[in-house]
Amino acid sequence: MDIGDAGKPDAGRRRDFAPWNDPAARALVRFKGVTKRFSGITAVDDVSLDIHTREFFALLGPSGCGKTTLLRLLAGFETPDAGRILLDGEDLADMPPHRRPVNMMFQSYALFPHLSVAGNVAFGLKQEGLVREEISARVAEMLALVRLDGMGSRKPYQLSGGQRQRVALARALVKRPKVFLLDEPLAALDKKLRQDTQFELMELQEKLDVTFVIVTHDQEEAMTVADRIAVMDHGRLVQVATPPEIYEQPNSRWVAQFVGDVNLIEGRVVASTPGEMLIEAKAGGRLKVASVSGLSAGDAVCIALRPEKLRIEPVKAGSRGGDNSFEGKVWDIGYLGDVSIYKVRLDNGLVMQAAVANMTRMVERPIGWNDRVTLTFAPQAGVVLTR
Amino acid sequence: MREAMQGKGISGGRLAIAIPYLWLLAFFLAPFLIVLRISLSQSVIAQPPYSPVFEIVAGWEGLKAFVAALSFENYATLFSDSLYVSSYLKSLEVAVVATAMLLALGFPIAYAMAQAPRRLQAVLVVLVILPFWTAFLIRIYAWINILQREGLLNEMLLALGLVREPLAWLATDTAIYIGVVYSYLPFMVLPIYASLEKIDHNLLEAAADLGCPHWKAFWLVTLPLALPGVAAGALLCFIPIMGEFVIPDLLGGSQSLMIGQTLWTEFFGNKDWPIASAVAVVLLMLLVVPIAIYQHMQTRDPRAGSA
Ligand SMILES: Nc1ncnc2c1ncn2[C@@H]1O[C@H](COP(=O)(O)OP(=O)(O)OP(=O)(O)O)[C@@H](O)[C@H]1O
Ligand SMILES: [Mg+2]
């Protein structure tokens, strides 16, 4: 039963899990053109979104972009101004929150202070009118699952932050909801505990076969736990895709910049062949990238390059850089332990970041401040953005 | 100065802690002991109107004679004379019924206040305490005006055709209840409002989320969390109503007296200080019971005291 010992989730089972690519699959949750306005501001703006059964879905976005509001619309605490929300094909419009087969874990946990841990976890089951034996059996099982056995009689104020978070988790999950909503569940935990808990959440989700929708503004957290991520900005969905797609193929400058570090190079298409595309950077220099359909010479584009996809080398005397090769001077070095970030001021004026895994010790590093370096990248590394 | 105090083992911090104890000693324990001592004396026509009187010049022998002269006779009288017993029962009845009425009236008011929009709440709180701007006695006299035979209440009832001839309101128990409930309502409303207002709205959403309809969440979440406020309000009303004198004296009839009135009569009418003191001591003992219950509730759940 102990989820801590089980290690990382079994990736094999989930490798082929992609119901969103299956046109025949029926979504569990469907948002159809949902809009929610609060006196003047549009918190959720025309959102259409499908979430599938057993999916671990993340809503990612900056503060105030409407993530919590979207969750509360699904839980029934807010009513949409326009659009419909379907759960299992059923319109939720006339269903009050207490009748929805959806449970939410609140950002503040919202534990009942006058009830014990067991009382909190049993609260929802009592509302279902179950017999006492079943309630206590399910409470005990759930408390064991979140590693709170033996704490059933404590009051919430006698628990640590991490333990409270587990009670909130248990209280919602014991209801066996169709959809489990988590509003920034780990925001109050320290980094180490947060990472452990992320894996435990994935374990729990596998074990209980429940659909999870998690809200977060931490992109690493979303990447770690989610099958798919919806990136939100100003109430709109900007991109909905798997973590690798979001990272490797962001659909706009905004997503590329929000999810991870990126170098953006503005330019114009010079020539496009079926295999490769030649781009003239605004600041000067030419880039070769894998070609994208629908673009022709003269179109304005932006090339996104992840720092770890750049190669950085000391300039070798005599070597003449071709395409995808830029010379510059090291302007700053950030040492992060596992990687070092080199900020390089190119001769054309642009500042680029390159990340290098620290496979040798710092003292042996051949590149230092103010060294002249060459940055190169493969044509497949650059992502062409038009938005 | 500071060093001198530390030299004697009394730091500033300890002095600060000692202040409430000194206060209680000077203004509660000392007067109580005086009253207790008078309650054990006999009434005499003299100055002071009780005996024995202890004189320090009489020395050790005098003290022995003094102690020997004290007796519990007055307490025996209290329990044998039905006047006192019925006064206590009357006070208890008024206090219990009025506190129940105050709860029934005060809780909905406090609840409505807590539900009101934030900005309105401050205004409502001011409205609740507004009567205190007028002297208590004047407000009770105003009630005499309203409740008398040709008063506002009867005029209104007659005008509405609800009664054919004026009713007797003044000098009845009804008048006492009207006066008490009117006067003590803020003491019930404010503590309950304070505890209701503190309840995190997320808790009610969590209850709904877990399948609990709105009306049920009131019983399972709101009420338990408001209980400390309810207890404080009930205590704040019950205790002073038990000893209430002015309201029953001005609005009530003379057929049955509350203990406060009996005490006043013994003290100022009959000039029987010892029996009046005994009445006061027994009243105090009776009031210790609800306070002890409240204390017990607080120690059982330390957070309940935060209300
Ligand atoms: N009850 C409300 N009344 C008025 N405005 C609201 C209300 N709830 C949310 N908003 C506004 O709607 C917008 C979206 O809020 P929301 O709480 O959904 O953001 P969020 O993405 O969850 O942000 P965070 O990451 O900071 O929690 C914000 O601008 C917020 O001020
Ligand atoms: Mg939020």
Side-chain angles (χ1 to χ4, degrees):
Chain A
M1 245 352 184
D2 194 44
I3 44 180
D5 294 342
K8 295 199 177 188
D10 175 10
R13 245 183 80 195
R14 291 194 80 85
R15 194 177 298 143
D16 305 324
F17 180 77
W20 49 88
N21 287 332
D22 176 5
R26 207 183 64 148
L28 178 65
V29 178
R30 307 199 75 161
F31 286 90
K32 288 187 168 179
V34 173
T35 296
K36 176 70 191 176
R37 278 180 284 269
F38 293 111
S39 53
I41 71 141
T42 308
V44 170
D45 192 359
D46 193 23
V47 164
S48 293
L49 176 66
D50 283 357
I51 299 171
H52 292 266
T53 308
R54 301 217 314 280
E55 192 172 353
F56 203 135
F57 195 91
L59 291 168
L60 177 66
S63 187
C65 72
K67 307 178 295 288
T68 299
T69 307
L70 197 61
L71 224 54
R72 289 171 59 83
L73 283 164
L74 183 51
F77 299 127
E78 311 284 356
T79 37
D81 292 314
R84 300 200 301 149
I85 305 172
L86 307 179
L87 178 66
D88 238 355
E90 190 183 355
D91 195 326
L92 290 178
D94 299 320
M95 201 185 279
H98 69 267
R99 299 224 339 265
R100 298 194 182 191
V102 164
N103 285 107
M104 175 146 165
M105 183 175 152
F106 289 78
Q107 200 163 353
S108 60
Y109 305 152
L111 299 180
F112 301 122
H114 59 297
L115 297 180
S116 65
V117 167
N120 266 281
V121 179
F123 189 94
L125 297 178
K126 284 189 183 149
Q127 308 312 315
E128 292 175 21
L130 301 178
V131 292
R132 189 119 57 82
E133 292 73 40
E134 183 175 0
I135 292 179
S136 51
R138 272 171 71 175
V139 168
E141 180 194 19
M142 202 63 220
L143 286 180
L145 200 59
V146 297
R147 293 197 271 122
L148 281 176
D149 7 18
M151 301 220 182
S153 56
R154 291 217 200 158
K155 286 284 185 73
Y157 69 91
Q158 295 168 317
L159 300 177
S160 74
Q163 290 166 335
R164 256 177 251 169
Q165 184 256 355
R166 284 156 193 282
V167 178
L169 206 60
R171 186 178 69 173
L173 278 176
V174 78
K175 293 272 288 177
R176 297 182 186 154
K178 280 189 182 164
V179 186
F180 179 34
L181 311 174
L182 303 95
D183 193 355
E184 310 216 8
L186 314 179
L189 307 182
D190 64 65
K191 190 165 188 224
K192 184 77 178 69
L193 187 56
R194 196 156 69 221
Q195 286 173 344
D196 292 347
T197 314
Q198 283 165 6
F199 285 110
E200 282 174 25
L201 279 180
M202 295 160 75
E203 274 292 308
L204 271 175
Q205 200 250 355
E206 286 277 314
K207 201 167 273 171
L208 300 173
D209 259 355
V210 171
T211 306
F212 277 39
V213 180
I214 187 173
V215 159
T216 174
H217 56 235
D218 177 348
Q219 46 114 353
E220 266 180 51
E221 183 170 299
M223 296 268 205
T224 308
V225 298
D227 293 316
R228 274 194 310 161
I229 298 174
V231 184
M232 284 183 82
D233 185 33
H234 288 100
R236 291 181 159 276
L237 292 183
V238 191
Q239 186 170 11
V240 182
T242 61
E245 281 167 353
I246 294 264
Y247 190 76
E248 309 275 351
Q249 289 146 38
N251 67 0
S252 63
R253 292 174 179 83
W254 193 86
V255 173
Q257 278 177 313
F258 186 72
V259 182
D261 291 323
V262 72
N263 298 298
L264 294 179
I265 303 168
E266 302 289 341
R268 203 167 280 283
V269 179
V270 178
S272 180
T273 65
E276 279 182 342
M277 208 155 62
L278 199 60
I279 285 151
E280 169 104 49
K282 244 189 209 152
R286 294 200 156 194
L287 296 90
K288 216 183 254 171
V289 294
S291 78
V292 182
S293 59
L295 286 176
S296 51
D299 289 345
V301 293
C302 176
I303 305 302
L305 281 168
R306 295 289 181 194
E308 72 278 6
K309 301 222 159 60
L310 288 173
R311 265 173 72 92
I312 181 166
E313 288 165 324
V315 174
K316 291 190 202 86
S319 82
R320 177 63 221 124
D323 291 325
N324 294 356
S325 166
F326 298 92
E327 277 191 24
K329 201 158 90 173
V330 174
W331 172 60
D332 198 4
I333 303 175
Y335 176 69
L336 302 182
D338 50 351
V339 292
S340 289
I341 307 289
Y342 292 86
K343 287 196 176 162
V344 179
R345 193 184 293 281
L346 301 184
D347 295 340
N348 62 15
L350 287 178
V351 174
M352 300 257 272
Q353 279 189 40
V356 179
N358 290 331
M359 282 174 302
T360 54
R361 293 196 31 221
M362 188 70 184
V363 283
E364 298 154 9
R365 204 57 33 80
I367 300 170
W369 270 270
N370 291 326
D371 284 358
R372 295 232 8 120
V373 291
T374 310
L375 294 177
T376 51
F377 63 93
Q380 295 77 21
V383 179
V384 182
L385 302 173
T386 52
R387 286 200 290 146
Chain B
M1 172 75 191
R2 203 189 142 89
E3 275 158 24
M5 280 169 70
Q6 275 172 347
K8 284 182 195 155
I10 307 168
S11 68
R14 280 202 200 166
L15 199 66
I17 296 170
I19 286 174
Y21 291 102
L22 292 174
W23 179 274
L24 281 177
L25 200 69
F27 297 104
F28 180 78
L29 195 61
F32 174 74
L33 288 176
I34 294 170
V35 171
L36 185 66
R37 167 242 184 287
I38 297 176
S39 78
L40 298 173
S41 315
Q42 288 86 47
S43 177
V44 291
I45 300 173
Q47 192 61 262
Y50 51 85
S51 89
V53 180
F54 172 62
E55 310 230 342
I56 202 90
V57 289
W60 181 242
E61 286 304 313
L63 182 65
K64 271 205 268 187
F66 168 76
V67 171
L70 294 176
S71 83
F72 286 93
E73 212 174 294
N74 292 318
Y75 290 93
T77 317
L78 277 194
F79 293 107
S80 58
D81 191 333
S82 69
L83 168 74
Y84 303 108
V85 176
S86 68
S87 288
Y88 279 119
L89 289 177
K90 176 77 181 173
S91 275
L92 195 65
E93 179 196 322
V94 170
V96 167
V97 174
T99 303
M101 296 192 329
L102 281 161
L103 257 177
L105 200 61
F107 195 97
I109 293 177
Y111 188 72
M113 282 169 67
Q115 298 288 309
R118 276 266 154 227
R119 279 166 54 215
L120 193 59
Q121 287 189 18
V123 179
L124 291 172
V125 169
V126 171
L127 286 180
V128 168
I129 53 179
L130 202 60
F132 292 125
W133 262 252
T134 315
F136 170 63
L137 219 50
I138 292 178
R139 285 183 283 136
I140 297 302
Y141 276 117
W143 274 108
I144 294 179
N145 239 303
I146 295 169
L147 297 176
Q148 68 197 2
R149 220 178 139 72
E150 293 81 30
L152 212 59
L153 184 58
N154 272 332
E155 272 178 28
M156 240 166 60
L157 292 175
L158 287 168
L160 290 171
L162 291 172
V163 294
R164 297 204 166 186
E165 46 190 65
L167 300 175
W169 293 106
L170 212 54
T172 62
D173 280 1
T174 313
I176 297 182
Y177 284 119
I178 291 176
V180 167
V181 169
Y182 163 78
S183 305
Y184 285 91
L185 197 57
F187 297 103
M188 185 62 92
V189 169
L190 291 179
I192 298 179
Y193 164 75
S195 60
L196 283 173
E197 185 261 343
K198 269 196 327 203
I199 297 176
D200 181 2
H201 185 67
N202 271 340
L203 294 179
L204 297 174
E205 287 190 342
D209 187 68
L210 294 166
C212 186
H214 199 66
W215 63 268
K216 211 170 159 194
F218 174 83
W219 294 104
L220 295 179
V221 179
T222 309
L223 202 58
L225 291 175
L227 227 44
V230 169
L235 214 61
L236 234 48
C237 292
F238 182 85
I239 290 174
I241 294 174
M242 269 299 277
E244 185 55 59
F245 164 74
V246 174
I247 297 171
D249 208 53
L250 293 180
L251 301 180
S254 51
Q255 60 280 46
S256 70
L257 300 178
M258 284 176 70
I259 197 65
Q261 295 168 279
T262 304
L263 197 151
W264 197 89
T265 312
E266 292 297 354
F267 213 88
F268 295 101
N270 304 343
K271 292 266 188 302
D272 192 338
W273 288 22
I275 198 96
S277 300
V279 167
V281 170
V282 170
L283 180 60
L284 189 81
M285 294 302 151
L286 288 178
L287 292 181
V288 165
V289 176
I291 294 173
I293 294 172
Y294 182 68
Q295 280 288 335
H296 177 73
M297 273 176 54
Q298 279 201 322
T299 43
R300 205 186 42 188
D301 185 354
R303 283 169 335 91
S306 59

